[in-house]
Amino acid sequence: MELFWLEHKKLWRKASARAAVLLCFAYIVIFCGVLTYQWFGFGSSDDVTSAFGNNFDGYAMIRSYQARAESYGEYLTDASFQQMVRDIQADNTRGVYWEHQDSRSSVSSYLSQLYPELEDTEDPFPILMEYYVDSAKLTDFYGRRQAALEEFLHLQGQGTGAEWAMLLAMNDKVEEPFRFGWTAGWQDLLGSALPDMGVIMAVFLAIALAPTFSGEWHNDTAPLLLTMARGWRRLALAKVLSGLAFAAELFMLLAAGGIAAQLIYLGTAGWDMPIQVIKLLAVAPMNMLQAEIYEYAFALLGAIGFAGVVMLLSSLVKSNVLSLLLSLAAVYGPMIAANYLPMWAQKALDLIPLVGSSADIFRTNTFHIFGKYIWSPYLLITVPVLIGLACTPFAVLKWSRRQRA
């Protein structure tokens, strides 16, 4: 334990590690959190040519968006949906346009997916459906959603057999009618901010942890290590545990800042809405809070798994630069290559730490393993951390052998 604390203090004293933590916190919590809420994400529109032209009034605008959504009642029904469309059309005739972050974005998505036959395809200059559709025809919302979901699964090649039955069984657990509120804030958080968190963390984890073993060669400390009474293997284990702890600590710092910003700006309103109000054809019976917990867990376990991979790569080479490049290639290389690979290969690459996306909870992706269909988020949250932990003993053994040699 004493050796672990010494290595952990040594890691945190490194200028590169401190700079990585500071820059990562600034980008994820300040830029993607506070400034997004207050300014370019949810501030009122000023210069329509740029999000950065928004006004610095996000807090007040978010409260107005939430109040408007609450005016339609607690649940999303045919009547409340029709009223939203009527309000959009009434405001449009008065020259008042709803903000993109308001309920209009959800309305537009629901109309295009559930009522495609109402779209005016003959107009040479088409406008959004919510501006002209007859609201009286917007009926049977949930029946149409079920039909649209089944059609989507057929188009995806998931419309038969055990996979079809599994996905529909998940969907049957989704409570209807949906609880409804302001969705844009949760959509930004669950669809963008948290799924991108792991990809961003990967850069800074690589910077901090890539020199874990290669740095000993870079600093020419091998002669000193040869005199250690506690052995190279115990030292290597302490380094590995220190690296894993660093990854967890970085995550906790980012999560604490992100949750604080979320509570200040979004509050707790809408935590019990189902994720289907964001992605209508999602099948997971999860509400917003459950989805957020999953996505944070995905980032934490992915970061720990990635830390294990980085330290294994560090033990294989003697150059800090090469170790860093290999670490970055381990996460960004598969993302680039995935565009040129068949679907089964893309799914396999998603199991590499921080390569997959926590946004898979909104999708119907599955893995077919030993004759069983498994919903992809179950594996995306477990396999990456297992891969990283499996790398750690090999990192210890490889570095110990190099030291003895």
Side-chain angles (χ1 to χ4, degrees):
M1 182 60 69
E2 180 183 357
L3 196 56
F4 163 78
W5 285 116
L6 290 172
E7 284 296 323
H8 200 52
K9 290 178 182 178
K10 176 183 174 182
L11 175 57
W12 273 101
R13 288 193 186 109
K14 289 181 179 179
S16 59
R18 291 184 177 183
V21 171
L22 179 61
L23 292 173
C24 192
F25 184 87
Y27 186 83
I28 291 180
V29 177
I30 305 300
F31 185 80
C32 297
V34 174
L35 292 181
T36 295
Y37 291 133
Q38 182 64 25
W39 181 21
F40 53 82
F42 299 105
S44 57
S45 296
D46 188 7
D47 177 8
V48 297
T49 65
S50 171
F52 293 98
N54 288 358
N55 295 310
F56 202 75
D57 58 356
Y59 184 88
M61 293 304 298
I62 287 172
R63 294 296 175 272
S64 70
Y65 299 150
Q66 291 174 332
R68 182 191 284 268
E70 290 171 1
S71 70
Y72 295 106
E74 187 177 359
Y75 295 95
L76 179 59
T77 63
D78 286 354
S80 62
F81 184 53
Q82 292 169 1
Q83 186 61 50
M84 289 182 213
V85 173
R86 286 195 292 269
D87 286 350
I88 291 174
Q89 294 172 352
D91 286 345
N92 184 51
T93 59
R94 297 196 303 270
V96 177
Y97 299 97
W98 287 24
E99 295 278 353
H100 175 69
Q101 294 86 355
D102 213 328
S103 301
R104 198 202 75 188
S105 58
S106 297
V107 171
S108 182
S109 173
Y110 300 161
L111 286 173
S112 62
Q113 292 183 78
L114 303 187
Y115 304 93
E117 75 280 2
L118 300 181
E119 183 177 5
D120 184 2
T121 57
E122 297 181 358
D123 189 342
F125 304 102
I127 59 176
L128 296 174
M129 288 179 66
E130 56 265 34
Y131 290 131
Y132 62 81
V133 72
D134 183 357
S135 62
K137 296 181 180 180
L138 304 179
T139 59
D140 193 23
F141 185 94
Y142 293 99
R144 283 176 171 267
R145 176 188 173 271
Q146 182 70 25
L149 173 60
E150 293 179 5
E151 181 182 3
F152 172 77
L153 293 178
H154 279 292
L155 293 174
Q156 291 288 105
Q158 299 173 303
T160 58
E163 186 178 19
W164 162 268
M166 182 197 74
L167 294 172
L168 289 185
M170 291 178 62
N171 181 68
D172 288 341
K173 297 178 183 178
V174 177
E175 294 184 5
E176 297 177 356
F178 301 156
R179 288 186 176 275
F180 187 75
W182 182 59
T183 60
W186 287 102
Q187 184 172 3
D188 178 79
L189 180 69
L190 301 178
S192 177
L194 291 184
D196 290 344
M197 182 179 179
V199 177
I200 297 167
M201 285 177 64
V203 177
F204 301 101
L205 282 173
I207 292 172
L209 299 180
T212 299
F213 294 111
S214 60
E216 301 293 354
W217 295 100
H218 178 78
N219 297 329
D220 197 23
T221 58
L224 177 61
L225 295 174
L226 290 173
T227 66
M228 288 193 58
R230 302 192 182 193
W232 308 301
R233 187 167 297 183
R234 291 185 62 185
L235 176 61
L237 180 60
K239 287 179 174 292
V240 165
L241 294 178
S242 174
L244 297 179
F246 178 87
E249 289 160 357
L250 175 60
F251 165 81
M252 289 187 288
L253 181 65
L254 299 175
I259 292 172
Q262 176 190 348
L263 290 175
I264 291 171
Y265 284 95
L266 302 184
T268 59
W271 69 267
D272 55 351
M273 291 189 297
I275 63 173
Q276 283 71 24
V277 298
I278 294 177
K279 183 69 177 293
L280 196 59
L281 302 186
V283 296
M286 303 173 72
N287 62 34
M288 299 298 181
L289 179 60
Q290 292 168 331
E292 182 175 5
I293 291 171
Y294 173 89
E295 295 200 359
Y296 270 122
F298 177 95
L300 170 60
L301 297 176
I304 293 173
F306 182 67
V309 173
V310 171
M311 287 183 288
L312 173 60
L313 295 172
S314 181
S315 71
L316 297 176
V317 298
K318 297 183 179 181
S319 166
N320 283 344
V321 174
L322 181 57
S323 176
L324 175 60
L325 292 176
L326 290 174
S327 299
L328 295 176
V331 64
Y332 294 106
M335 293 181 183
I336 297 172
N339 296 323
Y340 307 97
L341 298 175
M343 182 57 66
W344 66 266
Q346 294 181 35
K347 290 182 178 180
L349 291 178
D350 283 345
L351 299 177
I352 297 173
L354 298 184
V355 173
S357 172
S358 59
D360 258 35
I361 57 173
F362 295 99
R363 303 170 185 140
T364 61
N365 295 335
T366 62
F367 286 87
H368 191 216
I369 302 175
F370 301 124
K372 299 287 186 179
Y373 284 97
I374 303 174
W375 187 45
S376 65
Y378 294 144
L379 295 182
L380 293 180
I381 200 174
T382 53
V383 173
V385 68
L386 295 177
I387 291 174
L389 294 178
C391 289
T392 57
F394 293 101
V396 171
L397 291 173
K398 182 63 178 177
W399 190 72
S400 300
R401 287 174 182 172
R402 280 199 166 198
Q403 290 299 316
R404 286 197 298 269

